[in-house]
Amino acid sequence: MHTSISPFTDDDRAQPRLANNRLLACLPDDEQLQLAEKCETVRVENGQVLCEPGQAVRYVYFPIDCLLSLLAVAEGRMTLEVGAVGREGMIGASSVLGHELAQIRAVVQRSGRAYRMVVEDFVTEFHRLDSLQRLLHRYTDTLLAQAQQIAVCSRFHVLEARLARSLLITRDRLQSEKFHLTHEFLAHALGVRRVGVTKAASALQQQKLISYSRGNIEILDSAGLESVSCHCYTMFKDK
């Protein structure tokens, strides 16, 4: 795994706190400053694997403007997206529970920057800061609820509705109607074959809800896409 460390920009120098990640921004200013001393800003690239099931966790990541996909892996090859993390969250929170090995695969869905901290430093700060403990308890509870809802969605809802839900969640996290997602990535995320994604995307395109060409997606009718999505989207949005 290769992660390139980006140089600090003028904005980074002017902002010694960690307010570019909404989760860390919930902490008191003085605690953000303390954590900032142990963080570095890194750039992660699309398709990069940040952690793999069964491998030692070396770092925790707090996205700034990147988007990470969390994939459950079965038999080393079958995958299902059980969550996605943008600037509202982090990956590696389970390390504070004593989990030295990763339980999921975290893949960069959109290139960008993240704060990175050595896992041992993060565990030390977690046990030292009561506010960080309370914050992560709430956050991990939300992640668990989302993973449970995805399991229900994957079992009972049709692929077209699940694809619509996934596209809407991506839109919300990136705050853009246009983004790039390949058929291969969507197939891994939804736990289906590529041909299934092709048929579902074609159906949404025929309804003029999206435009999809070579992985470039544009949502043309947000309200219409919400109407064909399963109710899980509303639940995710609320959480």
Side-chain angles (χ1 to χ4, degrees), residues 56-205:
V57 177
R58 297 177 57 199
Y59 302 101
V60 296
Y61 293 86
F62 302 89
I64 297 173
D65 53 12
C66 61
L67 184 61
L68 311 178
S69 177
L70 308 181
L71 302 172
V73 183
E75 299 177 6
R77 57 186 180 83
M78 296 181 290
T79 59
L80 176 67
E81 187 175 60
V82 294
V85 178
R87 65 189 297 260
E88 81 293 335
M90 68 169 293
I91 62 170
S94 62
S95 59
V96 300
L97 301 176
H99 295 157
E100 297 180 354
L101 304 181
Q103 298 173 302
I104 51 90
R105 176 183 297 162
V107 181
V108 180
Q109 184 174 334
R110 182 198 189 192
S111 301
R113 298 169 302 155
Y115 299 123
R116 185 177 76 174
M117 186 186 301
V118 174
V119 68
E120 290 82 4
D121 288 341
F122 178 68
V123 172
T124 297
E125 294 303 315
F126 173 81
H127 290 298
R128 189 175 67 85
L129 301 174
D130 290 342
S131 58
L132 182 57
Q133 293 176 28
R134 292 191 296 269
L135 182 64
L136 289 189
H137 288 156
R138 296 199 303 272
Y139 178 65
T140 53
D141 182 63
T142 299
L143 280 184
L144 178 60
Q146 291 184 356
Q148 292 171 337
Q149 190 62 40
I150 288 176
V152 172
C153 183
S154 301
R155 173 65 179 83
F156 295 109
H157 297 156
V158 299
L159 182 56
E160 184 179 326
R162 292 169 55 205
L163 176 59
R165 180 260 297 167
S166 181
L167 296 180
L168 288 167
I169 291 174
T170 300
R171 184 274 311 267
D172 292 348
R173 283 200 164 94
L174 297 180
Q175 297 184 336
S176 174
E177 304 289 335
K178 298 180 180 181
F179 43 88
H180 185 83
L181 290 175
T182 65
H183 280 203
E184 182 178 6
F185 180 87
L186 286 169
H188 283 300
L190 297 171
V192 298
R193 296 170 59 192
R194 288 183 59 179
V195 64
V197 173
T198 300
K199 290 181 179 179
S202 295
L204 297 179
Q205 191 160 240

